[in-house]
Coordinates of all heavy atoms in Angstrom, one line a residue:
M1019 N 134.9 105.2 47.6 CA 133.5 105.5 48.0 C 133.4 106.9 48.6 O 134.2 107.3 49.3 CB 133.1 104.4 49.0 CG 131.7 104.7 49.7 SD 130.3 103.9 48.8 CE 130.6 102.2 49.2
A1020 N 132.3 107.5 48.2 CA 132.1 108.9 48.8 C 130.6 109.0 49.1 O 129.8 108.5 48.3 CB 132.6 110.0 47.9
R1021 N 130.3 109.8 50.1 CA 128.9 110.2 50.3 C 128.7 111.4 49.5 O 129.3 112.4 49.7 CB 128.7 110.4 51.8 CG 127.3 110.6 52.2 CD 127.1 110.3 53.7 NE 125.7 110.3 54.0 CZ 124.9 109.2 53.8 NH1 125.4 108.1 53.3 NH2 123.7 109.3 54.2
V1022 N 127.8 111.3 48.5 CA 127.5 112.5 47.7 C 126.1 113.0 48.2 O 125.1 112.3 48.2 CB 127.4 112.2 46.2 CG1 127.1 113.4 45.4 CG2 128.8 111.6 45.8
V1023 N 126.1 114.3 48.5 CA 124.9 115.0 48.9 C 124.4 115.8 47.8 O 125.1 116.7 47.3 CB 125.1 115.8 50.2 CG1 123.8 116.5 50.6 CG2 125.7 115.0 51.3
Y1024 N 123.2 115.4 47.2 CA 122.6 116.1 46.1 C 121.6 117.1 46.6 O 120.6 116.8 47.3 CB 121.9 115.1 45.2 CG 122.8 114.1 44.6 CD1 123.1 112.9 45.2 CD2 123.4 114.3 43.3 CE1 124.0 112.0 44.7 CE2 124.2 113.3 42.7 CZ 124.5 112.2 43.4 OH 125.3 111.2 42.9
H1025 N 121.9 118.4 46.4 CA 120.9 119.4 46.7 C 120.0 119.6 45.5 O 120.5 120.1 44.4 CB 121.7 120.7 47.1 CG 122.6 120.5 48.3 ND1 122.1 120.8 49.6 CD2 123.8 120.0 48.4 CE1 123.1 120.5 50.4 NE2 124.1 120.1 49.7
L1026 N 118.8 119.2 45.6 CA 117.9 119.0 44.5 C 117.2 120.3 44.1 O 117.1 121.2 45.0 CB 116.9 117.9 44.8 CG 117.6 116.5 45.1 CD1 116.6 115.5 45.5 CD2 118.3 116.0 43.8
P1027 N 116.7 120.4 42.9 CA 116.1 121.6 42.4 C 114.8 122.0 43.3 O 114.5 123.2 43.3 CB 115.6 121.3 41.0 CG 116.6 120.2 40.5 CD 116.9 119.4 41.8
D1028 N 114.2 121.0 43.9 CA 113.0 121.4 44.7 C 113.4 121.8 46.1 O 112.5 122.0 47.0 CB 112.1 120.2 44.8 CG 112.6 119.0 45.6 OD1 113.8 119.1 46.1 OD2 111.9 118.0 45.6
G1029 N 114.7 122.0 46.4 CA 115.1 122.5 47.7 C 115.4 121.4 48.7 O 115.9 121.7 49.8
T1030 N 115.1 120.1 48.4 CA 115.4 119.0 49.3 C 116.8 118.5 49.0 O 117.5 118.9 48.0 CB 114.4 117.9 49.2 OG1 114.5 117.4 47.8 CG2 113.0 118.4 49.4
E1031 N 117.3 117.6 49.8 CA 118.6 117.0 49.6 C 118.5 115.5 49.8 O 117.7 115.0 50.6 CB 119.7 117.6 50.4 CG 119.5 117.6 51.9 CD 120.7 118.3 52.6 OE1 120.9 119.4 52.3 OE2 121.3 117.6 53.5
Q1032 N 119.4 114.8 49.1 CA 119.5 113.3 49.2 C 120.9 113.0 49.3 O 121.7 113.5 48.5 CB 118.9 112.7 47.9 CG 117.4 112.8 47.8 CD 116.6 111.6 48.4 OE1 117.2 110.6 48.8 NE2 115.4 111.8 48.7
A1033 N 121.3 112.1 50.2 CA 122.7 111.6 50.3 C 122.7 110.2 49.8 O 121.9 109.3 50.1 CB 123.1 111.7 51.7
V1034 N 123.8 109.9 49.0 CA 123.9 108.6 48.4 C 125.4 108.2 48.5 O 126.3 109.1 48.2 CB 123.5 108.6 46.9 CG1 123.9 107.4 46.2 CG2 122.0 108.9 46.7
D1035 N 125.7 107.0 48.8 CA 127.1 106.5 48.8 C 127.4 106.0 47.3 O 126.7 105.2 46.8 CB 127.2 105.3 49.7 CG 127.1 105.7 51.2 OD1 127.5 106.9 51.5 OD2 126.7 104.9 52.0
V1036 N 128.4 106.7 46.8 CA 128.8 106.4 45.4 C 130.2 105.7 45.4 O 131.1 106.3 45.9 CB 128.8 107.7 44.5 CG1 129.1 107.4 43.1 CG2 127.5 108.4 44.6
P1037 N 130.3 104.5 44.8 CA 131.5 103.8 44.8 C 132.6 104.5 44.0 O 132.3 105.2 43.0 CB 131.2 102.5 44.1 CG 129.7 102.3 44.2 CD 129.2 103.7 44.2
A1038 N 133.9 104.4 44.3 CA 135.0 104.9 43.5 C 134.9 104.4 42.1 O 134.5 103.2 41.9 CB 136.3 104.5 44.2
G1039 N 135.2 105.3 41.2 CA 135.2 104.9 39.8 C 133.9 105.3 39.1 O 133.8 105.3 37.9
Q1040 N 132.8 105.5 39.9 CA 131.5 105.9 39.3 C 131.5 107.5 39.4 O 132.2 108.1 40.1 CB 130.3 105.4 40.1 CG 130.2 103.8 39.9 CD 128.9 103.3 40.4 OE1 128.0 104.1 40.9 NE2 128.8 102.0 40.4
S1041 N 130.6 108.0 38.6 CA 130.5 109.5 38.5 C 129.4 110.0 39.4 O 128.5 109.2 39.9 CB 130.2 109.9 37.1 OG 128.9 109.5 36.7
V1042 N 129.4 111.2 39.7 CA 128.3 111.9 40.4 C 127.0 111.7 39.7 O 126.0 111.5 40.3 CB 128.7 113.4 40.6 CG1 127.5 114.1 41.2 CG2 129.9 113.5 41.6
M1043 N 127.1 111.7 38.3 CA 125.9 111.4 37.5 C 125.4 110.0 37.8 O 124.2 109.8 38.0 CB 126.2 111.7 36.0 CG 125.1 111.3 35.1 SD 124.9 109.6 34.7 CE 126.2 109.4 33.4
D1044 N 126.3 109.0 37.8 CA 125.9 107.7 38.1 C 125.1 107.6 39.4 O 124.1 106.9 39.4 CB 127.1 106.7 38.1 CG 127.8 106.5 36.8 OD1 127.0 106.4 35.8 OD2 129.0 106.4 36.8
G1045 N 125.6 108.2 40.4 CA 125.0 108.1 41.7 C 123.6 108.7 41.7 O 122.7 108.1 42.4
S1046 N 123.3 109.7 40.9 CA 122.0 110.2 40.8 C 121.1 109.3 40.0 O 120.0 109.0 40.4 CB 122.1 111.6 40.1 OG 120.8 112.1 39.9
V1047 N 121.5 109.0 38.8 CA 120.7 108.2 37.9 C 120.3 106.8 38.5 O 119.2 106.4 38.5 CB 121.3 108.0 36.5 CG1 120.6 107.0 35.7 CG2 121.4 109.3 35.8
R1048 N 121.3 106.2 39.1 CA 121.1 104.8 39.7 C 120.1 104.8 40.9 O 119.6 103.8 41.3 CB 122.4 104.2 40.1 CG 123.2 103.8 38.9 CD 124.6 103.3 39.2 NE 125.4 103.3 38.0 CZ 126.2 102.3 37.7 NH1 126.4 101.3 38.5 NH2 126.9 102.3 36.5
N1049 N 120.0 106.0 41.5 CA 119.0 106.2 42.6 C 117.8 107.0 42.3 O 117.1 107.4 43.2 CB 119.8 106.8 43.8 CG 120.8 105.9 44.4 OD1 120.5 104.9 45.1 ND2 122.1 106.0 44.0
N1050 N 117.6 107.1 41.0 CA 116.4 107.8 40.5 C 116.1 109.2 41.1 O 115.0 109.5 41.4 CB 115.1 106.9 40.7 CG 115.2 105.6 39.9 OD1 115.6 105.6 38.7 ND2 115.0 104.5 40.6
L1051 N 117.2 109.9 41.3 CA 117.0 111.3 41.8 C 116.6 112.2 40.7 O 117.0 112.0 39.5 CB 118.3 111.8 42.4 CG 118.9 110.9 43.6 CD1 120.1 111.6 44.2 CD2 117.8 110.6 44.6
P1052 N 115.8 113.2 41.0 CA 115.4 114.1 39.9 C 116.4 115.2 39.6 O 117.4 115.4 40.3 CB 114.2 114.8 40.6 CG 114.5 114.8 42.0 CD 115.2 113.5 42.3
G1053 N 116.3 115.7 38.4 CA 117.2 116.9 38.0 C 118.2 116.5 37.0 O 118.4 117.2 36.0
I1054 N 118.9 115.4 37.2 CA 120.0 115.0 36.2 C 119.4 114.0 35.3 O 119.0 112.9 35.6 CB 121.2 114.4 37.0 CG1 121.9 115.5 37.9 CG2 122.2 113.8 36.0 CD1 123.0 114.9 38.7
V1055 N 119.3 114.4 34.0 CA 118.7 113.6 33.0 C 119.7 112.6 32.3 O 119.4 111.5 32.1 CB 118.1 114.5 31.9 CG1 117.5 113.7 30.8 CG2 117.0 115.4 32.5
A1056 N 120.9 113.2 32.0 CA 122.0 112.3 31.5 C 121.6 111.6 30.2 O 121.8 110.4 30.0 CB 122.5 111.4 32.5
E1057 N 121.1 112.4 29.2 CA 120.6 111.8 28.0 C 121.7 111.0 27.2 O 121.4 110.0 26.6 CB 120.2 113.0 27.0 CG 118.7 113.3 27.1 CD 118.3 114.5 26.3 OE1 119.1 114.9 25.4 OE2 117.2 115.0 26.6
C1058 N 122.9 111.5 27.3 CA 124.0 110.8 26.5 C 124.6 109.7 27.3 O 125.5 109.0 26.7 CB 125.0 111.8 26.0 SG 126.2 112.3 27.3
G1059 N 124.2 109.5 28.5 CA 124.7 108.3 29.2 C 126.1 108.5 29.8 O 126.8 107.6 30.2
G1060 N 126.6 109.8 29.7 CA 127.9 110.0 30.3 C 129.0 110.2 29.4 O 130.2 110.2 29.7
S1061 N 128.7 110.5 28.1 CA 129.8 110.6 27.1 C 130.1 112.1 26.8 O 130.7 112.4 25.8 CB 129.4 109.9 25.8 OG 128.2 110.5 25.3
C1062 N 129.7 113.0 27.7 CA 130.1 114.4 27.7 C 129.7 115.0 26.4 O 130.5 115.7 25.7 CB 131.6 114.5 27.8 SG 132.1 116.2 28.2
S1063 N 128.4 114.8 26.0 CA 127.9 115.4 24.8 C 126.5 116.1 24.9 O 126.1 116.8 24.0 CB 127.9 114.4 23.6 OG 127.0 113.3 23.9
C1064 N 125.8 115.8 26.0 CA 124.4 116.3 26.1 C 124.3 117.5 27.0 O 123.4 118.3 26.9 CB 123.5 115.2 26.5 SG 123.6 114.7 28.2
A1065 N 125.1 117.6 28.0 CA 125.1 118.6 29.1 C 123.8 118.6 29.9 O 123.4 119.6 30.5 CB 125.3 120.0 28.5
T1066 N 123.1 117.5 29.9 CA 121.9 117.4 30.8 C 122.2 116.8 32.1 O 121.3 116.1 32.7 CB 120.7 116.6 30.1 OG1 121.2 115.3 29.8 CG2 120.3 117.2 28.8
C1067 N 123.4 116.9 32.5 CA 123.8 116.4 33.9 C 124.5 117.6 34.6 O 125.4 117.3 35.4 CB 124.8 115.2 33.7 SG 126.3 115.7 32.8
H1068 N 124.0 118.8 34.4 CA 124.6 120.0 34.9 C 124.5 120.1 36.5 O 123.4 119.9 37.0 CB 123.9 121.2 34.2 CG 124.4 122.5 34.6 ND1 123.7 123.7 34.4 CD2 125.6 122.9 35.2 CE1 124.4 124.7 34.8 NE2 125.5 124.3 35.3
V1069 N 125.6 120.3 37.1 CA 125.5 120.6 38.6 C 126.5 121.7 38.9 O 127.3 122.1 38.1 CB 126.0 119.3 39.4 CG1 125.1 118.1 39.2 CG2 127.4 118.9 39.1
F1070 N 126.4 122.2 40.1 CA 127.3 123.2 40.6 C 128.0 122.6 41.8 O 127.5 122.0 42.7 CB 126.5 124.4 41.1 CG 125.5 125.0 40.1 CD1 124.2 124.7 40.2 CD2 126.0 125.8 39.0 CE1 123.3 125.2 39.2 CE2 125.1 126.2 38.1 CZ 123.7 126.0 38.2
V1071 N 129.3 122.8 41.7 CA 130.2 122.3 42.8 C 131.0 123.4 43.4 O 131.9 124.0 42.7 CB 131.2 121.2 42.3 CG1 131.9 120.5 43.5 CG2 130.4 120.2 41.5
E1072 N 130.6 123.8 44.6 CA 131.4 124.9 45.2 C 132.6 124.4 45.9 O 132.7 123.3 46.2 CB 130.5 125.6 46.2 CG 129.1 126.1 45.7 CD 129.2 127.2 44.8 OE1 130.2 127.9 44.7 OE2 128.2 127.5 44.1
D1073 N 133.6 125.3 46.1 CA 134.8 124.9 46.9 C 134.3 124.6 48.3 O 133.3 125.2 48.8 CB 135.8 126.1 46.9 CG 136.5 126.1 45.6 OD1 136.8 125.0 45.0 OD2 136.9 127.2 45.2
P1074 N 135.0 123.7 49.1 CA 136.2 123.0 48.7 C 136.0 121.8 47.9 O 136.9 121.2 47.4 CB 136.8 122.7 50.0 CG 135.6 122.4 50.9 CD 134.6 123.4 50.4
G1075 N 134.7 121.3 47.7 CA 134.5 120.1 47.0 C 135.0 120.1 45.6 O 135.5 119.1 45.0
A1076 N 135.0 121.2 44.9 CA 135.4 121.3 43.5 C 136.8 120.9 43.3 O 137.2 120.3 42.3 CB 135.2 122.8 43.0
G1077 N 137.6 121.2 44.3 CA 139.0 120.8 44.2 C 139.3 119.3 44.3 O 140.4 118.9 44.1
Q1078 N 138.3 118.6 44.7 CA 138.5 117.1 44.8 C 138.3 116.4 43.5 O 138.5 115.2 43.5 CB 137.5 116.6 45.9 CG 137.6 117.2 47.2 CD 136.6 116.7 48.2 OE1 136.4 115.5 48.3 NE2 136.0 117.6 48.9
F1079 N 138.0 117.1 42.5 CA 137.8 116.5 41.2 C 138.9 117.0 40.2 O 139.4 118.2 40.4 CB 136.4 116.8 40.6 CG 135.3 116.2 41.4 CD1 134.6 116.9 42.3 CD2 135.1 114.8 41.3 CE1 133.6 116.3 43.1 CE2 134.1 114.2 42.1 CZ 133.3 115.0 43.0
D1080 N 139.1 116.3 39.1 CA 140.0 116.8 38.1 C 139.4 118.0 37.4 O 138.1 118.1 37.4 CB 140.2 115.7 37.0 CG 141.1 114.5 37.5 OD1 141.8 114.8 38.5 OD2 141.0 113.5 36.9
P1081 N 140.1 118.9 37.0 CA 139.6 120.1 36.3 C 138.9 119.7 35.0 O 139.1 118.6 34.5 CB 140.8 121.0 36.0 CG 142.0 120.1 36.2 CD 141.6 119.0 37.0
P1082 N 137.9 120.5 34.5 CA 137.2 120.1 33.3 C 138.1 120.0 32.1 O 139.0 120.8 31.9 CB 136.2 121.2 33.1 CG 136.6 122.3 34.0 CD 137.5 121.8 35.1
S1083 N 137.8 119.0 31.2 CA 138.5 118.9 29.9 C 138.0 120.1 29.1 O 137.0 120.8 29.3 CB 138.1 117.6 29.3 OG 136.7 117.6 29.0
D1084 N 138.7 120.3 28.0 CA 138.3 121.3 27.0 C 136.9 121.1 26.5 O 136.1 122.0 26.4 CB 139.2 121.4 25.8 CG 140.6 121.9 26.2 OD1 140.7 122.5 27.3 OD2 141.5 121.8 25.4
E1085 N 136.6 119.8 26.3 CA 135.3 119.4 25.8 C 134.2 119.8 26.8 O 133.1 120.4 26.4 CB 135.3 117.9 25.6 CG 134.1 117.3 24.8 CD 134.3 115.8 24.6 OE1 135.1 115.2 25.4 OE2 133.6 115.2 23.8
E1086 N 134.4 119.5 28.0 CA 133.4 119.8 29.1 C 133.3 121.3 29.2 O 132.2 121.8 29.3 CB 133.8 119.2 30.4 CG 132.8 119.5 31.5 CD 133.2 119.1 32.9 OE1 134.2 118.3 33.0 OE2 132.5 119.5 33.9
A1087 N 134.4 122.0 29.2 CA 134.4 123.5 29.4 C 133.6 124.1 28.3 O 132.8 125.1 28.5 CB 135.8 124.0 29.5
E1088 N 133.7 123.6 27.1 CA 133.0 124.2 25.9 C 131.5 124.0 26.1 O 130.7 124.9 25.8 CB 133.5 123.6 24.6 CG 134.8 124.2 24.2 CD 135.4 123.5 23.0 OE1 134.6 122.9 22.2 OE2 136.6 123.6 22.8
L1089 N 131.1 122.8 26.5 CA 129.7 122.5 26.7 C 129.1 123.4 27.8 O 128.0 124.0 27.6 CB 129.5 121.1 27.0 CG 129.4 120.1 25.9 CD1 129.4 118.6 26.4 CD2 128.1 120.3 25.0
V1090 N 129.8 123.5 28.9 CA 129.3 124.3 30.0 C 129.2 125.8 29.7 O 128.2 126.4 30.1 CB 130.2 124.1 31.2 CG1 129.9 125.1 32.3 CG2 130.0 122.7 31.8
E1091 N 130.1 126.2 28.9 CA 130.1 127.7 28.5 C 128.8 128.1 27.9 O 128.4 129.3 28.1 CB 131.2 127.9 27.5 CG 131.6 129.4 27.3 CD 132.7 129.5 26.3 OE1 133.6 128.6 26.2 OE2 132.7 130.5 25.5
F1092 N 128.1 127.3 27.2 CA 126.9 127.6 26.5 C 125.6 127.2 27.3 O 124.5 127.3 26.8 CB 126.9 127.1 25.1 CG 128.0 127.7 24.3 CD1 129.1 127.0 24.0 CD2 127.9 129.0 23.8 CE1 130.1 127.5 23.3 CE2 128.9 129.6 23.1 CZ 130.0 128.8 22.8
L1093 N 125.8 126.7 28.5 CA 124.6 126.3 29.3 C 123.9 127.5 29.8 O 124.5 128.4 30.4 CB 125.0 125.4 30.4 CG 125.2 123.9 30.1 CD1 125.7 123.2 31.4 CD2 123.9 123.3 29.7
E1094 N 122.5 127.4 29.8 CA 121.8 128.5 30.4 C 121.9 128.4 31.9 O 121.9 127.3 32.5 CB 120.3 128.3 30.0 CG 119.4 129.5 30.4 CD 118.0 129.3 29.9 OE1 117.8 128.8 28.8 OE2 117.1 129.7 30.6
G1095 N 122.2 129.5 32.6 CA 122.3 129.4 34.0 C 123.7 129.0 34.5 O 123.8 128.7 35.7
A1096 N 124.6 128.9 33.6 CA 126.0 128.4 34.0 C 126.6 129.4 35.0 O 126.4 130.7 34.9 CB 126.9 128.3 32.8
R1097 N 127.4 128.9 35.9 CA 128.1 129.7 36.9 C 129.6 129.3 36.8 O 129.9 128.2 36.3 CB 127.6 129.5 38.3 CG 126.1 129.7 38.5 CD 125.8 129.4 40.0 NE 124.4 129.1 40.2 CZ 123.9 128.4 41.2 NH1 124.7 127.9 42.1 NH2 122.6 128.2 41.3
P1098 N 130.5 130.0 37.5 CA 131.9 129.5 37.6 C 132.0 128.1 38.2 O 132.9 127.4 37.9 CB 132.5 130.6 38.4 CG 131.7 131.8 38.2 CD 130.3 131.3 38.1
S1099 N 131.0 127.7 39.0 CA 131.1 126.4 39.7 C 130.4 125.3 38.9 O 130.2 124.2 39.4 CB 130.4 126.5 41.1 OG 129.1 126.9 40.9
S1100 N 129.9 125.6 37.7 CA 129.2 124.6 36.9 C 130.2 123.5 36.4 O 131.3 123.7 36.0 CB 128.6 125.3 35.6 OG 127.6 126.1 35.9
R1101 N 129.6 122.3 36.5 CA 130.3 121.1 36.0 C 129.3 120.2 35.4 O 128.1 120.2 35.7 CB 131.1 120.3 37.1 CG 132.2 121.1 37.8 CD 133.4 121.3 36.9 NE 133.9 120.1 36.2 CZ 134.9 119.4 36.6 NH1 135.6 119.8 37.7 NH2 135.3 118.4 35.9
L1102 N 129.8 119.2 34.6 CA 129.0 118.1 34.1 C 129.2 117.0 35.0 O 130.4 116.5 35.1 CB 129.3 117.8 32.6 CG 129.1 119.0 31.6 CD1 129.4 118.5 30.2 CD2 127.6 119.5 31.7
S1103 N 128.2 116.5 35.6 CA 128.4 115.5 36.7 C 128.8 114.2 36.2 O 129.4 113.4 37.0 CB 127.1 115.3 37.5 OG 126.0 114.9 36.7
C1104 N 128.7 113.9 34.9 CA 129.2 112.6 34.4 C 130.7 112.7 34.3 O 131.4 111.6 34.1 CB 128.6 112.3 33.0 SG 129.1 113.4 31.7
Q1105 N 131.3 113.8 34.4 CA 132.8 114.0 34.4 C 133.4 114.1 35.8 O 134.6 114.2 35.9 CB 133.1 115.2 33.5 CG 132.6 115.2 32.1 CD 133.0 114.0 31.3 OE1 134.2 113.7 31.2 NE2 132.0 113.2 30.9
L1106 N 132.5 114.0 36.8 CA 133.0 114.1 38.2 C 133.1 112.7 38.7 O 132.1 112.1 39.1 CB 132.1 114.9 39.0 CG 131.9 116.4 38.5 CD1 130.8 117.0 39.4 CD2 133.2 117.1 38.6
I1107 N 134.3 112.1 38.7 CA 134.5 110.7 39.0 C 134.9 110.6 40.5 O 135.8 111.3 41.0 CB 135.6 110.1 38.2 CG1 135.3 110.3 36.7 CG2 135.8 108.6 38.5 CD1 134.0 109.7 36.2
I1108 N 134.2 109.8 41.2 CA 134.5 109.6 42.6 C 135.8 108.8 42.9 O 136.0 107.8 42.2 CB 133.3 108.8 43.3 CG1 132.0 109.7 43.2 CG2 133.6 108.4 44.7 CD1 132.1 111.0 43.9
S1109 N 136.6 109.2 43.8 CA 137.7 108.5 44.2 C 137.7 108.2 45.7 O 136.9 107.4 46.1 CB 139.0 109.2 43.7 OG 139.1 110.5 44.3
D1110 N 138.5 108.9 46.5 CA 138.5 108.6 47.9 C 138.0 109.8 48.7 O 138.4 110.0 49.9 CB 139.9 108.2 48.3 CG 140.9 109.3 48.0 OD1 140.5 110.3 47.4 OD2 142.1 109.2 48.4
Q1111 N 137.1 110.6 48.1 CA 136.6 111.7 48.9 C 135.7 111.2 50.0 O 135.2 110.1 50.0 CB 135.7 112.6 48.0 CG 136.3 113.2 46.8 CD 136.1 112.4 45.6 OE1 136.0 111.2 45.6 NE2 136.1 113.1 44.4
D1112 N 135.6 111.9 51.1 CA 134.7 111.5 52.2 C 133.2 111.9 51.8 O 132.3 111.1 51.8 CB 135.1 112.2 53.5 CG 136.3 111.7 54.1 OD1 136.6 110.5 53.8 OD2 137.1 112.5 54.7
E1113 N 133.1 113.2 51.6 CA 131.7 113.7 51.3 C 131.8 114.8 50.3 O 132.7 115.7 50.4 CB 131.1 114.2 52.6 CG 129.6 114.6 52.5 CD 129.0 114.8 53.8 OE1 128.7 113.8 54.5 OE2 128.7 116.0 54.2
V1114 N 130.9 114.8 49.4 CA 130.9 115.9 48.3 C 129.5 116.4 48.3 O 128.5 115.7 48.3 CB 131.2 115.2 47.0 CG1 131.1 116.3 45.9 CG2 132.6 114.6 47.0
H1115 N 129.4 117.7 48.2 CA 128.1 118.4 48.0 C 127.9 118.9 46.6 O 128.8 119.6 46.1 CB 127.9 119.5 49.0 CG 127.7 119.0 50.4 ND1 126.5 119.0 51.0 CD2 128.6 118.5 51.3 CE1 126.6 118.5 52.3 NE2 127.9 118.2 52.4
V1116 N 126.9 118.6 45.9 CA 126.6 119.2 44.6 C 125.2 119.8 44.6 O 124.3 119.2 45.1 CB 126.8 118.2 43.4 CG1 128.2 117.6 43.4 CG2 125.8 117.0 43.5
E1117 N 125.1 120.9 43.9 CA 123.7 121.5 43.7 C 123.3 121.1 42.3 O 124.0 121.3 41.3 CB 123.8 123.0 43.8 CG 122.5 123.7 43.6 CD 122.6 125.2 43.6 OE1 123.6 125.8 44.1 OE2 121.7 125.9 43.0
V1118 N 122.2 120.5 42.2 CA 121.7 119.9 40.9 C 120.9 121.0 40.2 O 119.9 121.5 40.7 CB 120.8 118.7 41.1 CG1 120.3 118.1 39.8 CG2 121.6 117.6 41.8
A1119 N 121.4 121.3 38.9 CA 120.6 122.2 38.1 C 119.5 121.3 37.5 O 119.7 120.1 37.3 CB 121.4 122.8 37.0
D1120 N 118.3 121.9 37.2 CA 117.2 121.0 36.7 C 117.3 120.9 35.2 O 116.9 121.8 34.5 CB 115.8 121.6 37.1 CG 114.7 120.6 36.9 OD1 115.0 119.6 36.2 OD2 113.6 120.8 37.4
S1121 N 117.9 119.8 34.8 CA 118.1 119.6 33.3 C 116.9 119.0 32.7 O 116.9 118.8 31.4 CB 119.3 118.6 33.1 OG 120.5 119.1 33.6
S1122 N 115.8 118.8 33.4 CA 114.6 118.2 32.8 C 113.7 119.3 32.3 O 112.6 119.0 31.7 CB 113.9 117.3 33.8 OG 113.4 118.1 34.9
L1123 N 114.0 120.6 32.5 CA 113.2 121.7 32.1 C 113.3 121.9 30.6 O 114.3 121.7 30.1 CB 113.5 123.0 32.9 CG 113.3 122.9 34.4 CD1 113.7 124.2 35.1 CD2 111.8 122.7 34.7
Ligands
LIG238 S1 125.4 112.8 30.8 FE1 125.6 113.8 28.9 S2 127.1 115.3 29.2 FE2 127.0 114.3 31.1

């Protein structure tokens, strides 16, 4: 379980407890938070679950797969901290902060 703090596109933030084994995307979608659309349902093919994870939180997740890295590379507004939140699986982190890119635009 981890407390995930979503910094939302409108400048507000929401904190959600996300169980281990679920993704950062799951925590957003299951709580109806804005910004993460997750069209593909988490199969790493739509890139509508774009978030930014700055250090030190970034180091708490596995590095991106080649598939994820290729999708992120072509995202508008991508930064070095860009990740696909469906690929960020919660384990035993205490608290994670993610900035949500607005994928609904
Ligand atoms: S939900 Fe589609 S790539 Fe993450």
Side-chain angles (χ1 to χ4, degrees):
M1019 171 91 72
R1021 187 155 189 83
V1022 180
V1023 182
Y1024 298 86
H1025 298 265
L1026 301 173
D1028 67 1
T1030 63
E1031 60 182 52
Q1032 291 270 344
V1034 171
D1035 290 331
V1036 182
Q1040 291 189 8
S1041 69
V1042 170
M1043 177 278 280
D1044 289 322
S1046 175
V1047 169
R1048 290 172 191 221
N1049 290 281
N1050 297 313
L1051 303 185
I1054 294 177
V1055 176
E1057 268 174 18
C1058 76
S1061 60
C1062 197
S1063 60
C1064 72
T1066 61
C1067 62
H1068 182 197
V1069 297
F1070 307 102
V1071 189
E1072 306 291 346
D1073 282 328
Q1078 299 179 47
F1079 295 103
D1080 289 340
S1083 64
D1084 290 347
E1085 192 179 17
E1086 180 186 350
E1088 282 173 24
L1089 274 172
V1090 165
E1091 191 180 330
F1092 296 104
L1093 275 175
E1094 193 176 318
R1097 304 177 201 158
S1099 60
S1100 290
R1101 294 295 307 263
L1102 298 181
S1103 58
C1104 67
Q1105 304 302 301
L1106 300 174
I1107 306 300
I1108 296 299
S1109 55
D1110 59 355
Q1111 300 97 331
D1112 289 330
E1113 187 168 286
V1114 177
H1115 288 257
V1116 298
E1117 180 184 343
V1118 178
D1120 194 347
S1121 297
S1122 65
L1123 295 177

